Amino acid sequence: MTQRSAVLGAHSDDPVVRERSWAALVSAYWKPAYKHVRIKWKASPDDARDSIQGFFEKAVQKEFFAGYEPAVARFRTFFKTCLDRYVSNELKASHRLKRGGPAAALAFDGAEQELERAGAAAWESPDECFEREWRRQLFVTALSSLKQRAAEQGKEKAFTAFEKYDLVDPPRPRYEDLAKELDVPPTTVTNYLSWARGQLRALVLEQLEAITASEQELSAEVRDVAL
């Protein structure tokens, strides 16, 4: 498995690798975890926030994920099992403490607003919501990285073309109209979209490499997200 695996790096002896790995895991999982706790455990926003912050803090301290075995289950399944076990024990307590740690600065309000927009449908199946949010977070993070990469490489028009063509509801604009708007030939729009799609796929793959712990698990996740 690639050395970029955050699942493996979370228990590295190198503090830099360990910190970077935990940051990657928190980034990938905090929002699916928050929504899962809100929905499955009927936790209030404040309690869900405290539970997620406390979970990641305790996961670092107690090395929750050290016992993960890729041959037994996918990491996201193992993660959810650890989370549910933690929340079950946590909810037995009668008080909440202010948390710090790796999840302290996350935008929980944004996750809550997304739940409100989703309405009742989001509450129908906690497990399906977790899986759906896990996939969504992969692409949201990849899109943010793609936008940054385009800016760094002077390819802002390529990202704009991708945004206006691939990230809109039908009907999509014609290549000719998009080319006119961007002041480029239609063939350049084709090249823009090809570049952006390829970069997005690569960025999603990088994330999957980071949050899986074996080649077999990586292959299965790639199939699931239809890369």
Side-chain angles (χ1 to χ4, degrees), residues 107-219:
F108 287 102
D109 288 345
E112 191 61 30
Q113 290 168 359
E114 289 172 8
L115 277 177
E116 291 176 1
R117 286 196 297 270
W123 298 79
E124 292 176 358
S125 171
D127 290 337
E128 286 182 8
C129 181
F130 181 87
E131 300 295 321
R132 184 170 58 250
E133 185 57 39
W134 179 84
R135 291 177 177 81
R136 179 180 179 277
Q137 192 66 13
L138 279 176
F139 284 93
V140 167
T141 303
L143 279 171
S144 178
S145 297
L146 176 60
K147 185 175 183 178
Q148 180 179 350
R149 181 173 294 183
E152 292 170 349
Q153 297 182 11
K155 295 182 179 290
E156 291 91 343
K157 285 188 176 182
F159 182 81
T160 298
F162 177 72
E163 195 173 33
K164 290 180 175 291
Y165 189 82
D166 279 1
L167 303 184
V168 296
D169 294 328
R172 290 172 166 174
R174 298 186 309 159
Y175 275 27
E176 292 80 3
D177 294 337
L178 195 51
K180 184 177 181 180
E181 180 179 346
L182 296 174
D183 193 26
V184 296
T187 53
T188 301
V189 172
T190 301
N191 294 335
Y192 282 166
L193 294 176
S194 178
W195 176 84
R197 291 164 181 166
Q199 292 294 309
L200 182 67
R201 184 185 188 281
L203 288 165
V204 172
L205 184 59
E206 284 179 12
Q207 287 188 79
L208 288 175
E209 288 177 334
I211 60 176
T212 54
S214 71
E215 294 293 347
Q216 293 77 11
E217 184 186 9
L218 174 61
S219 297

Side-chain angles (χ1 to χ4, degrees), residues 13 16 19-20 28 33 46 63-64 82 93 95 100 104 108-109 138 149 154 178 190 198 202:
D13 292 332
V16 175
E19 183 177 354
R20 184 171 62 240
D46 284 345
E63 296 194 343
F64 279 0
C82 291
H95 65 280
F108 287 102
D109 288 345
L138 279 176
R149 181 173 294 183
L178 195 51
T190 301

Side-chain angles (χ1 to χ4, degrees), residues 1-112:
M1 187 61 192
T2 173
Q3 291 300 310
R4 287 180 293 183
S5 173
V7 178
L8 303 179
H11 309 290
S12 171
D13 292 332
D14 185 333
V16 175
V17 173
R18 192 164 59 247
E19 183 177 354
R20 184 171 62 240
S21 296
W22 276 107
L25 291 176
V26 171
S27 176
Y29 279 99
W30 78 265
K31 192 176 285 188
Y34 174 84
K35 292 184 179 180
H36 180 74
V37 171
R38 284 278 286 118
I39 294 169
K40 179 171 183 175
W41 295 96
K42 304 296 189 292
S44 70
D46 284 345
D47 283 352
R49 180 184 299 111
D50 284 348
S51 290
I52 297 309
Q53 291 175 336
F55 172 73
F56 280 115
E57 180 181 312
K58 190 62 69 69
V60 172
Q61 294 172 351
K62 301 295 185 180
E63 296 194 343
F64 279 0
F65 307 146
Y68 171 60
E69 297 181 15
V72 176
R74 299 187 190 188
F75 179 74
R76 56 187 160 109
T77 301
F78 179 81
F79 176 96
K80 184 150 59 74
T81 299
C82 291
L83 175 63
D84 281 336
R85 186 181 298 121
Y86 172 84
V87 175
S88 177
N89 292 331
E90 181 79 356
L91 291 180
K92 294 175 183 177
S94 61
H95 65 280
R96 290 287 186 267
L97 298 176
K98 271 294 185 183
R99 304 289 186 174
L106 298 174
F108 287 102
D109 288 345
E112 191 61 30

